Amino acid sequence: MHLGVSESMRECEYSQISTRCSTPMETPYKKRTPKRRKWESFPGRNKFYCNGRLMMAKQTGVFYLTLVLILVTCGLFFTFDCPFLALELTPVIPVIGGVLFMFVLGTLLRTSFSDPGVLPRATPDEAADLERQIDVANGSTGYRPPPRTKEVVINGQTVKLKYCFTCKIFRPPRASHCSLCDNCVERFDHHCPWVGNCVGRRNYRFFYMFILSLSFLTIFIFSFVITHIILRSHQNGFLKALKDSPASVLEVVVCFFSVWSIVGLSGFHTYLISSNQTTNEDIKGSWSSKRGKDNYNPYSHGNIFTNCCAALCGPLPPSLIDRRGFIQSGMPQLAPPTNGITMYGATQSQQSHMAAAATPLLQQQSSEPVILTASTENGGPLPGRTSLNLGGPCTSLPLGQPTPPTSTPSLSCHEASDMLPIHGHSHAHNHGHTLQEPMAHHHFLTPEEVPSPPGMLPCGSPMGHSHTMQAGFYNPASQDSLHEDSVRGLVKLSSV
Amino acid sequence: MATEFHNLQELRHSASLANKVFIQRDYSEGTTCRFQTKFPSELESRIERKLFEDTVKTLNNYYTEAEKIGGQSYLEGCLACSTAYLIFLCMETRYEKVLKKISKYIQEQNEKIFAPRGLLITDPIERGMRVIEISIYEDRGSSGSSSGSSSVSGSTAR
């Protein structure tokens, strides 16, 4: 019996190697792999917390700085200034301060943690279908790639829809690809490092309420700290007042420097909301009357009040990316970006096409030709992508967006947008101003914009029939999974 | 004539996916959600034009209703703001309510109209509201795989 026990024990010891062990309890590996949620295999560069409930950009350092600044300043205010003010003036002051503080924190967290309106990438079928349509429209089967733009007339204005090579979709109007997060975002405003997320359709109103309430909070703290110091100096003299409450000095300094940028930014965004424009559009001057007599904003509702109400109180669309859904095996995998493949496949023709595509752009703004030349300096494959994607990552970065490269210039890059309000936020005047800085930054930005293509380059297929190859590549592999997916779709439909 | 299926069950068991058609978004009225009502040529032999157009138009109407900016949406927005958006922990937004209606409608349409013709509509929300995906099925027994090929009816093992 003793032997039997040791033998069974030995069997269990060997259970990890030998397949003879049949005791079900001892099987070390689970038979079923645990179900994964969709956020775990999200293709963009985002970070997820709380099992997919919260979503942020990859670089969150500046967000923590924002949080620390707000918490520390308000903490000092409530600890050192409020007792004095409550006694000398009225206890309503800390109450209002408290309410403002909670509102600021709430809107900040809501802006930072919510999905800005990310567009999910195309499934392989969709991508193949689009490629086919583009090839048909192009006609010839030569090496010349088709123009990846579609024109659409919206309320009388012609708008160009650009094709996103990463997400493999034609971007809806007002959408843009954020290269920091590597996602296409609907109604893309800008990528804000201070909140650690993109600002887009779904969180613009929270962002606006954050900066508005933060302006009020900053002004509130600033004015009451000054009042506190003045009241104390009446009692004890100025120097003694400063010695009694040293925290006030720190608060005044922080508030003084913040108030200019934050109040200015609020003013700028109030203007944007009332004219129903995004930061992107305003900086590019897309709807400015300087472009042409008939140039107007087709999205504006006509009057300021309706524009404001629509932006702040309009319906909030749900998230399109379903972060917490479970991945079903056999679901169509997303088509990976074809940057490497298309670049190699059509580099020469792309360059000639780049010139063709660039000519209308050259007439629009003085900044764009500079961007084109800057990108050619960076080597062969890049111009193809960066120029054709002018509507994409470039618009979200160099054209005055407060999107930083991932280094110290980041804070100064954001200042570009702060400079706008400081100089009186008259945008017509500032276009020349702000465009200088982003152009200088472009040399930082271009190599950094390209993290996805270099990743693709080594595995890019040999040049040549990139489109057809790619379309053919997916079909056989995915047909079985497509069938399973459709069956599952049926099951899902019938169970709704 | 294309194969006939009597219901979704039969479609599932005896059909194989032949092709997919994608109805793209129509941006001529701005960024509101609308789909093109142009009838795709691949469906010409499978379904009547009017039925297809009615389905797409109804879906467009639903989306317009969801995104409508008016008294009710303002009220909802202000109420939400005043409760610091905590109200959405217990209540659904209007958009979500309409999306539920849409998925019910699509399921209905699939059961009544599309499945009997060997077609299946995928809810646009599952494709990020970019496209309406219509899957075209062929009878598994048929040897050809093009959507227009005729196949022997009654060859399903039922």
Side-chain angles (χ1 to χ4, degrees):
Chain A
M1 203 150 51
H2 181 70
L3 271 175
V5 168
S6 65
E7 209 169 342
S8 66
M9 276 177 65
R10 210 182 302 133
E11 267 189 30
C12 293
E13 262 175 37
Y14 289 145
S15 66
Q16 289 190 11
I17 306 164
S18 147
T19 51
R20 284 180 294 139
C21 179
S22 57
T23 48
M25 302 287 261
E26 308 298 330
T27 357
Y29 304 119
K30 289 202 201 117
K31 286 211 162 85
R32 299 173 338 141
T33 46
K35 277 207 154 190
R36 291 177 73 224
R37 293 198 190 248
K38 289 184 191 169
W39 66 265
E40 297 182 64
S41 60
F42 186 68
R45 274 200 292 265
N46 286 94
K47 286 207 281 209
F48 295 89
Y49 302 105
C50 289
N51 202 5
R53 289 184 180 88
L54 311 175
M55 132 179 213
M56 288 183 82
K58 193 165 173 220
Q59 254 87 36
T60 50
V62 188
F63 165 69
Y64 292 119
L65 175 67
T66 310
L67 214 51
V68 161
L69 275 175
I70 293 176
L71 288 173
V72 166
T73 312
C74 291
L76 289 175
F77 178 70
F78 288 123
T79 319
F80 294 102
D81 299 277
C82 279
F84 183 85
L85 290 166
L87 285 172
E88 292 289 318
L89 293 177
T90 160
V92 174
I93 294 173
V95 171
I96 296 178
V99 167
L100 268 177
F101 170 68
M102 298 303 294
F103 194 72
V104 164
L105 218 52
T107 45
L108 170 65
L109 295 178
R110 185 82 199 221
T111 310
S112 304
F113 294 149
S114 58
D115 171 13
V118 173
L119 287 168
R121 299 192 182 180
T123 55
D125 298 321
E126 279 178 62
D129 187 65
L130 268 181
E131 296 262 350
R132 233 186 336 211
Q133 279 180 20
I134 293 171
D135 282 342
V136 162
N138 190 33
S140 70
T141 50
Y143 285 102
R144 194 184 175 82
R148 298 280 180 131
T149 53
K150 232 181 355 186
E151 287 208 348
V152 116
V153 177
I154 300 178
N155 286 338
Q157 281 283 335
T158 312
V159 175
K160 263 205 174 85
L161 301 185
K162 296 189 174 92
Y163 183 77
C164 181
F165 284 93
T166 315
C167 305
K168 315 210 33 172
I169 55 172
F170 273 98
R171 272 184 226 120
R174 310 188 100 178
S176 194
H177 189 96
C178 175
S179 59
L180 288 166
C181 303
D182 205 22
N183 292 317
C184 270
V185 178
E186 274 187 297
R187 202 189 181 280
F188 181 74
D189 195 82
H190 65 283
H191 180 102
C192 187
W194 301 93
V195 301
N197 205 356
C198 288
V199 177
R201 185 176 175 205
R202 294 188 75 246
N203 63 356
Y204 186 57
R205 68 191 68 188
F206 306 119
F207 175 74
Y208 179 71
M209 291 196 286
F210 165 62
I211 55 176
L212 197 63
S213 53
L214 190 61
S215 327
F216 287 133
L217 183 66
T218 318
I219 293 174
F220 182 85
I221 292 182
F222 187 67
S223 47
F224 279 108
V225 168
I226 300 271
T227 311
H228 173 211
I229 294 186
I230 290 176
L231 288 175
R232 261 196 206 260
S233 353
H234 281 272
Q235 290 176 2
N236 303 329
F238 183 64
L239 284 173
K240 189 154 189 316
L242 288 182
K243 261 202 298 200
D244 283 338
S245 128
S248 308
V249 180
L250 177 67
E251 292 168 51
V252 165
V253 166
V254 169
C255 288
F256 181 76
F257 288 112
S258 327
V259 82
W260 299 111
S261 42
I262 293 172
V263 170
L265 199 60
S266 312
F268 175 55
H269 279 282
T270 309
Y271 161 74
L272 287 183
I273 284 186
S274 58
S275 60
N276 201 335
Q277 288 185 81
T278 62
T279 307
N280 216 350
E281 288 165 354
D282 180 74
I283 284 176
K284 274 159 64 180
S286 311
W287 313 122
S288 129
S289 50
K290 288 191 175 190
R291 284 232 183 154
K293 212 157 42 90
D294 292 328
N295 206 27
Y296 59 89
N297 184 0
Y299 310 109
S300 171
H301 293 102
N303 67 63
I304 292 178
F305 183 68
T306 319
N307 283 337
C308 290
C309 288
L312 302 175
C313 308
L316 192 63
S319 174
L320 296 174
I321 53 178
D322 188 24
R323 311 186 283 280
R324 286 176 46 81
F326 287 104
I327 300 174
Q328 284 143 1
S329 56
M331 257 187 68
Q333 296 306 311
L334 296 173
T338 55
N339 302 315
I341 297 172
T342 47
M343 269 194 288
Y344 274 135
T347 315
Q348 302 101 333
S349 47
Q350 265 192 352
Q351 282 189 342
S352 63
H353 179 67
M354 176 179 82
T359 31
L361 299 170
L362 280 169
Q363 286 148 13
Q364 286 169 6
Q365 271 188 351
S366 55
S367 62
E368 283 163 330
V370 180
I371 290 171
L372 287 172
T373 51
S375 59
T376 48
E377 285 168 9
N378 285 313
L382 296 178
R385 186 204 175 225
T386 47
S387 63
L388 279 182
N389 270 353
L390 259 177
C394 288
T395 40
S396 61
L397 292 172
L399 300 173
Q401 288 294 325
T403 42
T406 56
S407 50
T408 38
S410 63
L411 294 175
S412 59
C413 201
H414 186 70
E415 293 306 309
S417 78
D418 295 339
M419 273 167 66
L420 285 170
I422 289 171
H423 291 273
H425 57 86
S426 51
H427 321 278
H429 305 309
N430 282 345
H431 280 305
H433 235 299
T434 50
L435 289 170
Q436 308 288 335
E437 209 165 344
M439 280 192 283
H441 280 297
H442 190 78
H443 294 279
F444 295 114
L445 294 167
T446 339
E448 263 160 295
E449 257 173 38
V450 199
S452 23
M456 289 302 294
L457 289 176
C459 45
S461 39
M463 8 191 164
H465 316 281
S466 52
H467 296 294
T468 47
M469 242 189 81
Q470 202 223 333
F473 176 70
Y474 283 117
N475 282 341
S478 55
Q479 264 207 336
D480 289 329
S481 59
L482 283 175
H483 172 57
E484 276 179 31
D485 165 61
S486 48
V487 168
R488 266 172 232 283
L490 287 168
V491 175
K492 197 172 169 189
L493 279 172
S494 54
S495 66
V496 155
Chain B
M1 197 56 191
T3 42
E4 303 231 330
F5 298 97
H6 297 293
N7 52 28
L8 276 178
Q9 303 274 55
E10 203 180 293
L11 189 69
R12 191 194 318 173
H13 288 301
S14 55
S16 67
L17 185 66
N19 200 3
K20 284 190 184 187
V21 181
F22 297 96
I23 314 292
Q24 300 285 341
R25 284 269 295 266
D26 172 18
Y27 293 113
S28 58
E29 290 185 18
T31 50
T32 52
C33 187
R34 270 182 70 88
F35 290 96
Q36 292 176 353
T37 47
K38 181 164 112 32
F39 189 63
S41 52
E42 291 93 338
L43 297 180
E44 241 154 63
S45 58
R46 307 296 293 238
I47 189 169
E48 294 82 2
R49 184 183 284 257
K50 187 171 182 320
L51 281 174
F52 169 81
E53 282 178 2
D54 282 345
T55 309
V56 179
K57 281 197 183 122
T58 315
L59 284 176
N60 284 341
N61 288 338
Y62 273 124
Y63 287 119
T64 313
E65 182 196 328
E67 297 187 9
K68 195 161 73 92
I69 304 170
Q72 200 191 354
S73 74
Y74 290 153
L75 205 61
E76 194 185 42
C78 292
L79 180 69
C81 185
S82 58
T83 61
Y85 291 88
L86 293 170
I87 193 146
F88 291 136
L89 291 172
C90 9
M91 192 179 96
E92 264 187 340
T93 66
R94 204 174 99 216
Y95 210 111
E96 284 166 358
K97 287 196 190 113
V98 177
L99 284 179
K100 282 215 170 108
K101 274 204 273 187
I102 289 174
S103 60
K104 259 213 198 97
Y105 172 75
I106 288 182
Q107 194 202 352
E108 222 180 76
Q109 290 286 300
N110 272 335
E111 277 173 8
K112 291 198 202 135
I113 301 183
F114 287 87
R117 292 168 173 76
L119 301 172
L120 203 68
I121 303 185
T122 309
D123 196 337
I125 194 79
E126 292 176 33
R127 295 289 178 261
M129 306 281 265
R130 294 183 302 263
V131 286
I132 301 179
E133 186 180 296
I134 303 183
S135 313
I136 303 176
Y137 285 89
E138 282 296 329
D139 183 23
R140 231 190 257 258
S142 68
S143 52
S145 60
S146 65
S147 56
S149 65
S150 60
S151 47
V152 181
S153 57
S155 66
T156 55
R158 279 227 145 220

